[in-house]
Amino acid sequence: MKYFVFTFFLLFVTAHTIWSQRTCGTMAHHNHLIGIDSTYQKNRALIELQTEDYINKPHLKKRVLKTIPVVVHVVYNTNAENISDAQIQSQIDILNADFRKLNADWTSTPAVFQGLVADCEIEFCLAQQDPNGAPTTGIVRKSTTSTSFSTNDNVKFDATGGSNIWNRNNYLNIWVCDLSGGLLGYAQFPGGPASTDGVVCDYLYFGSIGTATAPFNKGRTATHEIGHWLNLYHIWGDDGTSCSGSDQVNDTPNQADENYGCPTYPSVSCSNGPNGDLFMNYMDYVDDACMYMFTAGQKARMDALFATTGARVSLLSSPGCVSLSCNAPTSITISSITSSSANINWTAAPFATSYTIRYRPIGSTTWLTSTSTTTSKLISGLNSNTAYEVQIQSVCTSNTSSYTASSNFTTLNAVTCTNSFEPNNTRATAQSIANNASIQSMIGSTTDFDYFTFTTTSNSPKVQIELSNLPYDYELKLYKGSNQLIGSSMNAGNTNELIKYNLATTGGTYIAYVYGYNGAFSTSQCYTMTISTSANNFKIDPLQQNEVQKPKLTISPNPAQDKMKISFWSAGNSSIKGIIYNQLHQKIASQETISQWGENSLYFDLKNVPRGLYYIQLIDNDEAISEKLILE
């Protein structure tokens, strides 16, 4: 078939029903673009010239397996139209069989035509990467208020009820929806607008399962339309019955018109006997069960698109089919271990959407599993005093990682714990306890604070206090009398807290204050506090600077000139007052605030204050700290 003419294919719009004859809207869409877009006409002419040049120069031809990333946009108005992943995969499988001559039914081709049947060396994969380089299933689902679509391309835009295209240079876009007028599908030839490039199929004729409806239930509608997308025309040349049209392929017999149903071989037209029409070709209109081959000439036209200057060559370098690695998480840590629970933390893995955590007593053959969408998981219901191992797996969009190596931990002994000595939430209600003994108690809520009072004698004035068996991050402060803060211990995590006060030379009354950092508490695990007194100094670790960790009040700059800042640590939600006194103890300036947890600051403007020596007093509730300030 040597000659080519464009003719107009008239599409009659009728109510949507299950049609017994194939109807393709590609030529109607093609002729519409010709009428409105001169650039499209020029592009088509250039593509035909490039195709002819490629076919006429055999030395340009190379056997290259071409893999095309596919994104399927499922645009649905009803649940039935929202076809399953499995139905979509069935269509991808069919395309891979049809374009690689792996379909079993190609052998039904009459013997006289079997030498024409071609392996087109084209394969398809559901995209593994989206246009942003993130993992994807290659399926986009979009609910719409539109009850149906036509060849006007509305299905290809969010703004008109459809789904926006992915970059056509990297993906074959297929839209699956409800098409009106009995259309099974339509495609855009190479050279058309970038925003509408792709294939549209009705949901009733896509794949081979689910909603796929006979006689178009073998996935050949998509094969036919992708043939158009790869620059193949209808095999009869769309010339009516004049026998003057052409599909621009030399090895397909001239035929008068489309064939429907399942013709009997031979079906002669246009004086093409004795063998007649090649009606079993994918580019005719027969039922799915009766089309099963492309020819070598059609393959050559498709190959031309992937030559150096071909219209679809960019697809060969697309990263769309490259699977992104789903790596296991790293840096696993286990904290907040109790007799029945532990908190597992890890560093996020790229592209992971969730994680599977499995754990078991060491030596057991049975894993317990849990999941998390964050990078931590509290596992509970554990046995007390038992060694466990835990492993974590990343779950990505399309695959999963291997499990990490085991991280081990041992639960604590079960302890019967009660919130002893309540109420003792203020200094005024501090519980009196004995020296040189250990007590157990609980921080049972975010508002639970424990105060304990004890008295030393002149014979044993030195004091050491230790907090141990901490379930979470607890802090410790030591007061002399009722409000003189003389030491604090604020180690991170559940590290023991320790205060040693060796400055005492006489007996006295003290208050120990225990609270949870940032409101930490446990309703199941007690802490242990041990108060020791001695006539001799308690041994100080060489790394410690002082026996006690006194709260710091930092003045900067000091000496100061016009402005000055004081910085201080606070347990938060305290009424803070900063006061500047002169040497006659006259108040010069003051600031008040409610503190936050951690480092806090107050700022003073001193440009009108005379130069000299001053004192700054910081009052945190009823605790007071003083430092000198020099203005110069």
Side-chain angles (χ1 to χ4, degrees):
M1 301 175 73
K2 302 178 181 178
Y3 304 103
F4 172 76
V5 292
F6 289 121
T7 59
F8 183 77
F9 180 87
L10 181 62
L11 179 66
F12 294 94
V13 179
T14 60
H16 191 299
T17 185
I18 297 174
W19 287 66
S20 60
Q21 290 187 331
R22 185 179 304 278
T23 306
C24 166
T26 296
M27 291 307 295
H29 183 266
H30 167 71
N31 289 323
H32 173 71
L33 287 179
I34 287 177
I36 66 171
D37 188 350
S38 60
T39 300
Y40 176 66
Q41 297 183 58
K42 294 176 183 177
N43 289 344
R44 291 297 303 146
L46 290 172
I47 289 170
E48 285 303 320
L49 286 174
Q50 183 266 335
T51 300
E52 182 179 1
D53 185 60
Y54 177 85
I55 291 173
N56 291 334
K57 295 179 179 178
H59 65 279
L60 296 178
K61 300 176 184 177
K62 297 179 181 178
R63 292 199 63 184
V64 177
L65 179 61
K66 299 160 283 287
T67 302
I68 298 177
V70 178
V71 54
V72 178
H73 305 261
V74 181
V75 182
Y76 63 96
N77 177 261
T78 67
N79 289 336
E81 296 166 12
N82 189 18
I83 62 173
S84 69
D85 288 3
Q87 185 170 347
I88 293 169
Q89 186 58 56
S90 75
Q91 181 65 73
I92 299 298
D93 294 342
I94 290 165
L95 294 176
N96 284 327
D98 289 351
F99 281 83
R100 290 304 315 275
K101 192 185 167 184
L102 296 174
N103 53 305
D105 52 356
W106 81 265
T107 58
S108 299
T109 306
V112 68
F113 292 137
Q114 284 198 6
L116 301 177
V117 183
D119 170 5
C120 297
E121 297 178 306
I122 296 174
E123 294 182 350
F124 303 84
C125 83
L126 283 172
Q128 302 292 299
Q129 294 187 48
D130 71 12
N132 296 317
T136 180
T137 61
I139 300 171
V140 176
R141 298 186 180 275
K142 191 71 175 294
S143 177
T144 182
T145 57
S146 298
T147 56
S148 65
F149 295 91
S150 68
T151 58
N152 63 8
D153 286 335
N154 281 352
V155 74
K156 301 175 181 178
F157 298 95
D158 287 345
T160 51
S163 177
N164 285 344
I165 194 171
W166 287 13
N167 186 344
R168 61 98 171 263
N169 292 325
N170 291 325
Y171 304 92
L172 160 58
N173 287 261
I174 301 177
W175 288 267
V176 180
C177 63
D178 185 343
L179 281 172
S180 61
L183 279 177
L184 273 65
Y186 72 96
Q188 180 172 294
F189 284 111
S195 61
T196 55
D197 196 1
V199 167
V200 183
C201 290
D202 191 286
Y203 77 100
L204 291 174
Y205 314 114
F206 194 75
S208 59
I209 61 174
T211 61
T213 305
F216 309 113
N217 59 339
K218 292 185 177 294
R220 265 58 191 270
T221 295
T223 302
H224 176 100
E225 300 303 341
I226 291 172
H228 287 312
W229 183 78
L230 291 172
N231 208 28
L232 298 185
Y233 292 104
H234 289 138
I235 197 168
W236 66 94
D238 291 282
D239 61 345
T241 59
S242 68
C243 297
S244 60
S246 173
D247 64 353
Q248 304 296 299
V249 178
N250 289 331
D251 62 1
T252 56
N254 191 14
Q255 70 182 55
D257 208 346
E258 65 267 32
N259 288 285
Y260 293 104
C262 284
T264 301
Y265 172 81
S267 178
V268 177
S269 68
C270 294
S271 302
N272 60 12
N275 300 322
D277 296 350
L278 194 66
F279 58 79
M280 69 291 308
N281 190 268
Y282 292 123
M283 302 314 294
D284 208 332
Y285 266 12
V286 295
D287 294 347
D288 278 16
C290 299
M291 56 166 59
Y292 28 77
M293 55 89 76
F294 288 115
T295 71
Q298 289 172 321
K299 174 186 184 314
R301 279 186 66 83
M302 292 188 273
D303 283 347
L305 296 173
F306 299 96
T308 302
T309 60
R312 303 248 184 246
V313 67
S314 65
L315 289 165
L316 299 183
S317 57
S318 169
C321 285
V322 178
S323 178
L324 294 167
S325 297
C326 189
N327 295 320
T330 57
S331 303
I332 299 171
T333 60
I334 304 170
S335 61
S336 304
I337 302 170
T338 71
S339 61
S340 61
S341 65
N343 197 52
I344 317 300
N345 296 274
W346 57 91
T347 300
F351 312 123
T353 57
S354 64
Y355 301 90
T356 301
I357 302 95
R358 67 181 186 183
Y359 55 97
R360 63 184 177 184
I362 293 177
S364 172
T365 59
T366 303
W367 291 99
L368 301 171
T369 61
S370 186
T371 59
S372 176
T373 56
T374 66
T375 56
S376 66
K377 183 68 179 183
L378 179 66
I379 54 177
S380 57
L382 307 178
N383 300 324
S384 64
N385 195 29
T386 302
Y388 279 86
E389 60 178 324
V390 61
Q391 299 177 349
I392 306 174
Q393 177 190 63
S394 299
V395 179
C396 302
T397 303
S398 56
N399 56 348
T400 59
S401 74
S402 58
Y403 279 96
T404 62
S406 291
S407 296
N408 300 337
F409 66 96
T410 301
T411 54
L412 302 178
N413 283 321
V415 176
T416 302
C417 183
T418 58
N419 200 357
S420 305
F421 311 112
E422 292 291 330
N424 63 333
N425 283 10
T426 66
R427 289 193 191 91
T429 58
Q431 174 67 38
S432 179
I433 58 174
N435 301 339
N436 301 308
S438 296
I439 62 131
Q440 285 190 331
S441 191
M442 177 193 295
I443 301 296
S445 70
T446 58
T447 57
D448 188 10
F449 311 104
D450 287 354
Y451 288 88
F452 302 96
T453 181
F454 61 95
T455 302
T456 63
T457 66
S458 296
N459 292 331
S460 298
K462 316 298 183 180
V463 176
Q464 174 179 285
I465 306 179
E466 182 174 17
L467 282 187
S468 58
N469 298 324
L470 303 182
Y472 297 109
D473 190 352
Y474 289 177
E475 315 288 29
L476 174 66
K477 288 187 176 184
L478 177 63
Y479 299 88
K480 189 174 183 180
S482 60
N483 63 2
Q484 182 185 356
L485 180 62
I486 60 173
S488 60
S489 180
M490 294 175 285
N491 293 324
N494 57 354
T495 303
N496 288 1
E497 305 290 354
L498 180 65
I499 297 175
K500 296 180 181 182
Y501 184 55
N502 291 329
L503 300 179
T505 57
T506 61
T509 299
Y510 297 87
I511 292 179
Y513 172 33
V514 182
Y515 59 96
Y517 172 77
N518 244 355
F521 70 94
S522 171
T523 58
S524 62
Q525 186 174 342
C526 287
Y527 65 84
T528 300
M529 185 172 70
T530 304
I531 296 177
S532 305
T533 62
S534 176
N536 302 311
N537 287 346
F538 289 96
K539 184 177 180 180
I540 303 299
D541 189 295
L543 297 178
Q544 286 185 263
Q545 299 296 314
N546 301 296
E547 294 93 331
V548 297
Q549 302 177 38
K550 295 185 179 180
K552 294 181 179 180
L553 171 61
T554 303
I555 303 172
S556 61
N558 191 9
Q561 294 181 346
D562 294 337
K563 296 180 180 179
M564 177 269 295
K565 176 180 78 172
I566 62 173
S567 301
F568 55 93
W569 183 92
S570 174
N573 296 316
S574 296
S575 176
I576 304 293
K577 182 181 291 186
I579 306 172
I580 301 178
Y581 294 98
N582 62 19
Q583 295 184 67
L584 300 176
H585 203 69
Q586 294 171 325
K587 184 187 297 185
I588 302 302
S590 67
Q591 294 273 1
E592 293 187 34
T593 188
I594 300 298
S595 69
Q596 303 297 316
W597 184 279
E599 192 75 14
N600 291 259
S601 298
L602 293 175
Y603 298 86
F604 289 85
D605 186 346
L606 305 173
K607 61 177 176 284
N608 295 322
V609 178
R611 310 298 90 176
L613 177 64
Y614 293 86
Y615 297 92
I616 294 181
Q617 184 179 57
L618 181 74
I619 303 174
D620 183 348
N621 287 331
D622 54 359
E623 300 173 12
I625 311 170
S626 296
E627 295 287 349
K628 291 180 181 180
L629 168 67
I630 298 174
L631 293 183
E632 60 179 22

